[in-house]
Amino acid sequence: MQDIYVKLTKIKSMLQKKLSHPFLEQYLSTPEIDDDKLLLLYAIFDEIELPSQLKERYIMTAMLVQIALDTHDKVTVDKNINHDAFVERQLTALAGDYYSGLYYGMLSELKDIQMIRVLAEAIKEINENKIKLYHDKELSVQTTMESVLIVETALFQKITQHYKLDFWNLFSTKFLTYKKLSHEKFHNEEKIATLELSKMKQERYPINSLKRICELFYDDTVSLLDACLIKTPSIKELLFKRVQNIRLHEKLDYKKTVEEGLS
């Protein structure tokens, strides 16, 4: 397991170096690297017969796509802002474009036209669903839920479909959905983006509780891990630990919420 930590740290360090830009660093915070998505990509490419260095480059490429998408999400749309906020908004948009350019550059060096197409399809699908969420005020609860989860998982769905990794396609969807719902449960209570889960239709989701939905995705995620045969057992152990850590965070947040409510 220690060997995996070393490899993940190495990839993360290379990513941070790639993302570093002296001008942007003067005005913007360093972009966050999602450790769970990094681990998940490492697990996915561990199942694929490729040279280690090539795997690292594919993982970095996919993470750059994710970071570019996350950066563009931070661009504000407020009309009444001061000059400093306006400059920050423009630079954030520029930074997102810059990170997108980095992943295109890496793939062009690899001369992998197919992977460019795979990632482009993922970006297209993610952005289409973001547009739905931001601009369509008449979305049903079910449609909103589906769009939110496509935004969260499409990049991993497309990559695993490309390599025909059925287990990792299903697991990444369950795991990332669980993580997203768990986060939203305590940081945004009843809402996910524009989604009000308390209004969820009974015929689609018989239990209209976000907590219960989280539990269902947690159970699915753990059951999948229990049943699967993974090439590297230590990766399975790491994923188990991460799922349990998210679960523990839920419980701690819930306890804190209850205590604050009683105080």
Side-chain angles (χ1 to χ4, degrees):
M1 187 180 293
Q2 188 62 34
D3 181 53
I4 295 175
Y5 280 124
V6 170
K7 290 177 180 177
L8 287 171
T9 301
K10 176 189 173 186
I11 295 170
K12 191 170 182 178
S13 177
M14 290 191 297
L15 263 174
Q16 289 168 334
K17 185 176 180 181
K18 196 81 173 172
L19 291 164
S20 177
H21 190 287
F23 176 71
L24 292 175
E25 288 172 354
Q26 291 181 48
Y27 301 95
L28 303 175
S29 58
T30 305
E32 292 182 11
I33 296 172
D34 189 317
D35 290 332
D36 289 326
K37 290 183 177 178
L38 179 58
L39 171 59
L40 195 50
L41 284 167
Y42 182 90
I44 289 167
F45 279 93
D46 187 64
E47 298 288 328
I48 302 167
E49 294 300 326
L50 289 171
S52 296
Q53 287 188 338
L54 194 54
K55 289 182 184 182
E56 289 176 357
R57 292 181 73 81
Y58 279 122
I59 293 169
M60 286 180 64
T61 299
M63 285 302 299
L64 285 171
V65 172
Q66 185 65 63
I67 291 165
L69 289 165
D70 292 344
T71 301
H72 279 136
D73 282 344
K74 295 177 182 177
V75 178
T76 62
V77 294
D78 297 337
K79 294 180 180 179
N80 300 317
I81 56 174
N82 60 32
H83 177 266
D84 289 344
F86 177 78
V87 170
E88 181 177 341
R89 177 163 68 189
Q90 296 299 97
L91 287 175
T92 302
L94 181 63
D97 292 342
Y98 173 66
Y99 303 144
S100 295
L102 291 177
Y103 103 76
Y104 275 117
M106 290 189 70
L107 282 181
S108 65
E109 290 171 7
L110 294 172
K111 296 180 172 59
D112 191 338
I113 303 301
Q114 280 189 314
M115 184 56 77
I116 291 175
R117 185 177 295 113
V118 167
L119 296 180
E121 287 175 358
I123 293 168
K124 175 177 175 288
E125 191 168 332
I126 289 168
N127 286 333
E128 283 175 348
N129 281 276
K130 284 181 179 179
I131 290 169
K132 278 187 190 178
L133 292 170
Y134 289 135
H135 296 291
D136 192 340
K137 305 301 182 184
E138 303 301 323
L139 284 181
S140 68
V141 174
Q142 178 183 327
T143 303
T144 306
M145 178 75 162
E146 290 169 352
S147 288
V148 169
L149 300 184
I150 287 171
V151 168
E152 193 66 20
T153 65
L155 179 62
F156 292 81
Q157 289 176 351
K158 295 298 183 183
I159 291 172
T160 51
Q161 286 167 9
H162 174 65
Y163 287 108
K164 297 179 173 59
L165 299 173
D166 294 339
F167 166 77
W168 289 106
N169 182 275
L170 181 57
F171 176 79
S172 60
T173 300
K174 294 287 187 181
F175 173 64
L176 293 175
T177 299
Y178 169 61
K179 179 182 176 180
K180 176 68 174 177
L181 295 179
S182 176
H183 174 80
E184 294 294 342
K185 182 167 63 173
F186 292 104
H187 291 81
N188 207 14
E189 286 297 341
E190 299 266 331
K191 295 182 180 180
I192 296 179
T194 58
L195 172 63
E196 294 185 12
L197 287 173
S198 59
K199 298 178 182 177
M200 194 169 288
K201 294 181 180 178
Q202 293 292 322
E203 67 269 22
R204 174 68 177 175
Y205 295 94
I207 302 173
N208 63 353
S209 161
L210 181 50
K211 181 180 179 183
R212 179 57 183 151
I213 294 168
C214 277
E215 288 173 356
L216 292 173
F217 274 100
Y218 169 82
D219 291 342
D220 287 348
T221 303
V222 170
S223 295
L224 280 170
L225 271 181
D226 272 333
C228 76
L229 293 173
I230 294 178
K231 180 179 176 182
T232 306
S234 53
I235 289 178
K236 184 174 183 176
E237 186 178 345
L238 273 177
L239 288 168
F240 261 125
K241 283 187 174 182
R242 185 54 200 145
V243 175
Q244 296 303 328
N245 283 341
I246 295 172
R247 182 73 156 179
L248 176 61
H249 182 68
E250 279 185 43
K251 291 179 179 178
L252 290 175
D253 273 351
Y254 179 73
K255 181 180 178 182
K256 181 181 177 184
T257 301
V258 171
E259 289 173 348
E260 288 175 351
L262 294 175
S263 61

